Amino acid sequence: MRKQIISVLLLTFMGLAAQAQTKVKLYGVASPNVKFVYVASLTDRENKGDSVPVTDGKWKFEKEFPSDVLTLGVISDDFSEMKNHQNAMFAMADTVPTEIDLINHTVKGSKGTETFNTTMKGVLECMNKPITATYDSRDDAAKLMYSAVMDNLDSMVPVVFVPMLSQGLSSGALHKIFYTGAPYENHPLMAPVKEHMKSLDAKKNFALGDKFTDLTLNDVDGKSHSLSEWCGKGRYVLIDFWASWCAPCRAEMPTVVECYKKYHDKGLDIIGISFDVDKDAWKNAIDQMGLSWIHLSDLASWKSVAATTYGIKGIPSCILLDKNGYIIDFDMRGNVLDLRLKEIFGENK
């Protein structure tokens, strides 16, 4: 039974070669019928964990771990808890003493440890929910991990979650994560993520911090408009590149619609730029999906001036501008778009 519980705790984290040591101290209380508490590294798959005796309901664990051991799982040998791994508690393997109450299921330690425990409990709860046609628990799990990362950029928490999120993170989010001097900047697990960030940046004709390049295109009624009518006018602007024939674009639109509803009154405008060639198909798609913002196109598909100006080689694609018209992010997909806008505007009230 113990081995089964430990295997659950090991999750999907990768192991690395041992380096320097981190002295970890955990202590706490457990139910009167508990004889042992088990502590396992979630990083080192070769380490099967340690048995910690419980005396008069109290236990204490001290050990030096290789510095690549980032996270720990703790659970008691009580049968009711062993049947439900939701009762496992989690901690970062840092030098701050951590108090773990296995009766009330609380953790007190470093900010990173408390965040990691709360996030892991939430992720496990999400993963236990069924996926339906209208709800995907993985989206909620990703939101929890994203928030944990962005709220703990001064700790090693990002090393735990960013590799699992990296393919869904935008360039702006990744640049925020990899600020100069970040404690995890050169961690081996982050190397593939940094390469992914570089590849995102290399695909465009612009960079974060650039001012938008103005374009003039027609709306659905044939009236000419320039981006400068909206961009740099004191509101955030999302330029959304799409087409009615693009299935992934259409799949993204419900999220974009919801973001527009939540944040338009707070200061967000959206400009849809279509790579359509069929005007009727373009107009019908706008009506069918309820896209109530301004839409522009020269109906030239990939030869569109928008594609060549901004280096758009695949859709859906988007660019987020600040109030002054400077690029602050791009290519945000799904819940990442909502999370990015939430950072700017806060929760919808």
Side-chain angles (χ1 to χ4, degrees), residues 120-288:
M120 284 302 302
K121 303 286 281 184
V123 168
L124 288 173
E125 184 178 344
C126 288
M127 292 298 98
N128 280 337
K129 295 178 181 179
I131 297 174
T132 68
T134 58
Y135 174 74
D136 191 335
S137 60
R138 292 169 297 185
D139 290 339
D140 283 346
K143 289 179 181 180
L144 290 172
M145 291 188 283
Y146 181 89
S147 296
V149 168
M150 292 306 182
D151 291 342
N152 291 273
L153 295 178
D154 58 347
S155 74
M156 295 300 283
V157 169
V159 182
V160 180
F161 296 120
V162 167
M164 290 185 276
L165 295 171
S166 64
Q167 295 302 310
L169 294 175
S170 64
S171 179
L174 289 169
H175 278 276
K176 187 174 181 179
I177 291 167
F178 287 108
Y179 66 91
T180 302
Y184 45 79
E185 186 175 14
N186 297 312
H187 195 284
L189 280 179
M190 294 299 236
V193 185
K194 292 171 75 174
E195 289 302 313
H196 175 59
M197 179 177 69
K198 291 177 183 177
S199 70
L200 288 177
D201 293 345
K203 292 178 181 178
K204 307 298 180 183
N205 290 349
F206 58 84
L208 293 174
D210 286 353
K211 187 109 181 195
F212 80 97
T213 300
D214 206 5
L215 299 173
T216 300
L217 299 166
N218 292 336
D219 64 17
V220 293
D221 297 318
K223 183 179 178 181
S224 178
H225 291 279
S226 296
L227 297 184
S228 53
E229 293 177 38
W230 295 272
C231 304
K233 300 296 185 181
R235 289 171 63 87
Y236 288 86
V237 177
L238 182 74
I239 304 175
D240 187 35
F241 302 95
W242 72 292
S244 66
W245 46 260
C246 169
C249 299
R250 298 181 76 116
E252 288 285 327
M253 282 307 178
T255 298
V256 182
V257 170
E258 286 303 308
C259 286
Y260 187 72
K261 290 178 180 178
K262 289 170 67 175
Y263 302 114
H264 176 63
D265 290 343
K266 292 189 173 186
L268 175 71
D269 288 324
I270 298 179
I271 303 172
I273 296 183
S274 171
F275 291 171
D276 273 283
V277 292
D278 185 324
K279 187 174 183 179
D280 288 336
W282 175 38
K283 293 177 67 174
N284 288 338
I286 293 170
D287 292 339
Q288 290 168 3

